[in-house]
């Protein structure tokens, strides 16, 4: 109490002396922190004002306030309450100047609300400032759009709109191609609203129509309808299949493009040269057709048919007229000439047919076993003058058959000829077997074959062909058993040949027996080339990986090079003998037995200086076709040197043999190609 009296006296003294008051408001002890008043700083110095956010409000709005205090502002809280009440609800809080925050109006009910900003300083003092009766409106207006149905010509569109909150601001009607850009037809603040859409300039297809109601708060209600613009008549056609007979299905096509779609298709016909159309059917769903039309109810002759197409917008199109022929009368004649007997291979059958209506479409010969009852087509003629076709009798078993001709007109009517009975088919070839004369033939060889046939074998021809070529040349022919032939092989080039026996029976049927891949060998094999290759790191220097390849005119028997060898990779030894600028090379087994690659130890002349002393290498040899390749391995002894260019010579071994056991010629072979560094 004493402290309070002192403060009041000091204030009075200041006033009496003409001093200016601090302007701080006095607050009761109940509102003062800790209820202690010890200095002027204990008074509330908070000042606050709120900026008017306007009305109406929707969505999220930024609230702003200005607040100061001698002690510093701690925070400003923005609140709202139903207008005229004190039921305040926090909207958002700002802690730094400028004091702004977002007020999400969706969190409160639509209607009139008071807003205020409550500023609190660091000492806990607070003041508030507010604005009253600001309308919250987050509710979309209502709207409708009349349904015009299919759009054609100029259409009237009507829309309505209403809003119970902030009120209707605008009502607009617009359109666009489906998925395109909107075009506004009319807009204004009154409701209802009506405007016209001229669809004539628009392409047929789907369009979206929209009414847009916008309230004062900015809430928007779109009402969208998707409808079809159709200002184009449909298209259509009628199936022109002709001629027809019996009960048919009349096919039609119809299409309305991007329009309203086909509503129905009417099929109709009339006799050619008349004017009265008769409706055949009306079909409302694709595929459009008139099913079960009985052509026998009308006389044979020419008729016109057409389709009348109507779409859902009321447009109609009459298709082009097609002309068809009704023909329910069978051909006048069908004949078959007796082919005789027996029949073999492909038989040409003949006869004839005639028709006064739609004309003959095919003349077909049919057959059945003479003891059977089921007819099968043998062959057919579909081109004028109709009466000839080829029957492959090998498609049926040998035996007796009945034949007949069936004439079919273009409408499908048929007439059958008189049956030609009991004609025999005989296509069984004789059996034949050519005796294998051996894998390698030389000189003159006797060929033999066995052959038999129930009707008797008339001849066996012996023939030859280059292996795999299947081009056969006669050797000789024998007409009586035993069937033999003398074959002079020396008249032909060496090589592989196929041999066959061709047996022919009394009916002309033939069969063959082939012995393939027989080798004719009448010439001496020769060496044709010797070549080397560098498989190491230096050219002209003998080292591991280098190779030498011998080539003959034909494949050799590998066992003639080394007993027991079959041509696969084989370990050997290679010895190079120094001989000034013409070193020699020889080949042995690892045990020292000479191989039959060169005629003697001196007959492979390298024509260059590769070693300074006798040098030996491990090596391998392998056969491929007409060549044998030797590849050097590790050096076992001796000294090598870099050699210059040279052209090797090689005398093949006379002990080497070809596949027919003929010895190889020892004629010297010179390395082909330009002189170069070997190895």
């Amino acid at each position: 109490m004493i402290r309070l009296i002192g403060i009041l006296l000091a204030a009075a003294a200041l006033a009496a002396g003409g001093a200016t008051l601090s302007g701080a408001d006095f607050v009761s002890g109940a509102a003062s922190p800790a209820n202690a008043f010890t200095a002027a700083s204990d008074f509330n110095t908070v000042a606050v004002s709120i900026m008017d956010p306007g009305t109406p409000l929707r969505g999220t709005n930024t609230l702003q306030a200005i607040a100061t205090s001698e002690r510093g502002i701690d925070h400003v809280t923005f609140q709202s309450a139903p207008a005229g009440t004190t039921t305040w609800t926090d909207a958002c809080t700002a802690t730094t100047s400028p004091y702004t925050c977002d007020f999400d109006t969706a969190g409160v009910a639509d209607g009139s609300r008071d807003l205020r900003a409550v500023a609190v300083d660091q000492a806990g003092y607070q003041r508030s400032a507010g604005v009253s009766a600001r309308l919250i409106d987050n509710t979309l207006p209502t709207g409708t759009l009349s349904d015009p149905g299919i759009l054609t010509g100029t259409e009237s569109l009507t829309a309505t709109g209403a809003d119970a909150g902030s009120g209707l601001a605008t009502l607009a009607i617009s359109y666009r191609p489906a998925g395109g850009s909107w075009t506004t037809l009319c807009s204004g603040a009154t409701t209802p609203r009506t405007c016209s859409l001229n669809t004539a300039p628009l392409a047929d297809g789907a369009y979206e129509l929209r009414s847009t109601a916008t309230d004062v708060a900015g809430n928007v209600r779109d009402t969208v309808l998707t409808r079809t613009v159709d200002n184009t008549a449909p298209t259509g056609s009628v199936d022109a299949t002709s001629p027809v007979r019996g009960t048919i299905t009349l096919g039609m096509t119809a299409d309305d493009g991007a329009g309203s779609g086909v509503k129905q298709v009417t099929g109709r016909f009339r006799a050619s040269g008349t004017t009265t159309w008769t409706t055949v059917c009306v079909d409302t769903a694709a595929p459009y057709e008139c099913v079960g039309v009985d052509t026998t109810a009308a006389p044979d002759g020419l008729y016109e048919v057409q389709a009348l197409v109507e779409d859902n917008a009321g447009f109609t199109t009459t298709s082009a007229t097609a002309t068809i022929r009704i023909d329910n009368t069978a051909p006048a004649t069908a004949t078959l000439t007796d082919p005789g007997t027996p029949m073999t291979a492909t038989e040409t059958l003949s006869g004839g047919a005639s028709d006064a209506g739609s004309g003959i479409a095919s003349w077909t010969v049919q057959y059945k076993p003479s003891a059977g009852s089921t007819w099968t087509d043998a062959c057919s003629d579909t081109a004028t003058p109709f009466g000839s076709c080829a029957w492959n009798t090998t498609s049926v078993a040998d035996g007796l058959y009945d034949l007949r001709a069936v004439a079919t007109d273009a409408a499908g009517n048929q007439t059958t000829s008189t049956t030609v009975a009991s004609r025999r088919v005989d296509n069984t070839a004789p059996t034949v077997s050519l005796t294998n004369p051996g894998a390698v033939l030389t000189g003159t060889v006797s060929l033999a074959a066995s052959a038999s046939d129930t009707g008797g074998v008339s001849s066996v021809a012996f023939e030859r062909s280059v292996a795999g070529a299947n081009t056969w040349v006669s050797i000789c022919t024998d007409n009586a058993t035993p069937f033999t032939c003398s074959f002079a092989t020396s008249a032909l080039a060496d090589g592989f040949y196929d041999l066959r026996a061709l047996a022919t029976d009394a009916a002309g049927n033939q069969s063959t027996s082939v012995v393939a891949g027989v080798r004719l060998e009448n010439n001496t094999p020769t060496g044709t080339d010797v070549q080397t290759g560098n498989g190491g790191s230096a050219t002209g220097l003998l080292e591991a990986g280098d190779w030498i390849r011998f080539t003959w005119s034909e494949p050799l028997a590998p066992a003639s090079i080394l007993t027991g060898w079959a041509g696969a990779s084989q370990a050997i030894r290679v010895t190079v003998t120094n001989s000034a600028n013409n070193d020699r090379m020889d080949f042995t087994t690892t045990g020292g037995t000479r191989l039959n690659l060169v005629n003697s130890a001196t007959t492979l002349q390298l024509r260059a200086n590769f070693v300074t002393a006798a040098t030996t290498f491990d090596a391998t040899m392998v056969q491929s076709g007409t060549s044998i390749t030797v590849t050097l391995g590790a050096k076992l002894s001796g000294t090598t040197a870099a050699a210059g260019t040279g052209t090797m010579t090689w005398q093949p071994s006379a002990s080497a043999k070809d596949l027919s056991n003929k010895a190889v010629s020892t004629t010297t072979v010179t390395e082909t190609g330009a002189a170069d560094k070997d190895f």
Side-chain angles (χ1 to χ4, degrees), residues 477-561:
T477 299
D478 195 353
N479 298 320
T481 187
F483 301 103
T484 60
C485 177
S486 182
F487 180 23
T489 65
S490 58
L492 301 176
D494 287 358
F496 288 94
Y497 289 81
D498 296 336
L499 303 177
R500 79 173 182 180
L502 174 64
T504 304
D505 68 10
N509 300 305
Q510 294 181 322
S511 61
T512 61
S513 174
V514 176
V515 175
V518 174
R519 180 172 182 81
L520 304 191
E521 182 56 72
N522 289 293
N523 298 310
T524 300
T526 62
T528 59
D529 198 10
V530 58
Q531 292 288 333
T532 67
N534 177 34
S537 59
T539 303
L541 183 66
L542 286 172
E543 54 190 338
D546 291 350
W547 54 265
I548 184 167
R549 179 174 296 129
F550 303 96
T551 303
W552 289 265
S553 60
E554 58 183 279
L556 298 190
S560 72
I561 304 297

Side-chain angles (χ1 to χ4, degrees), residues 50 63 65 75-79 89-95 99 101 116-120 127-129:
I50 185 172
L63 301 181
H75 65 273
V76 175
T77 297
F78 295 88
Q79 298 177 324
T89 302
D90 289 351
C92 54
T93 298
T95 58
Y99 300 102
C101 64
R116 72 177 184 181
V118 179
V120 180
R127 277 199 175 88
S128 64

Side-chain angles (χ1 to χ4, degrees), residues 246-266:
T247 299
I248 66 168
T249 295
L250 179 64
M252 300 170 289
T253 65
D255 184 61
D256 197 38
S260 57
V262 175
K263 177 181 180 182
Q264 65 180 30
V265 181
T266 301

Side-chain angles (χ1 to χ4, degrees), residues 6 18 38 62 78 101-102 131 148 191 224 233 248 278 298 337-338 351 413 426 441 483 492 505 520 589 620 652:
T38 59
T62 300
F78 295 88
C101 64
D102 291 334
V131 293
T191 182
V224 179
I248 66 168
T278 299
T337 302
D338 187 349
N413 303 296
D426 180 6
L441 306 182
F483 301 103
L492 301 176
D505 68 10
L520 304 191
T589 66
T620 59

Side-chain angles (χ1 to χ4, degrees), residues 280-291:
V280 178
C281 71
V282 177
D283 199 352
T284 59
Y288 303 103
E289 54 190 10
C290 298
V291 179

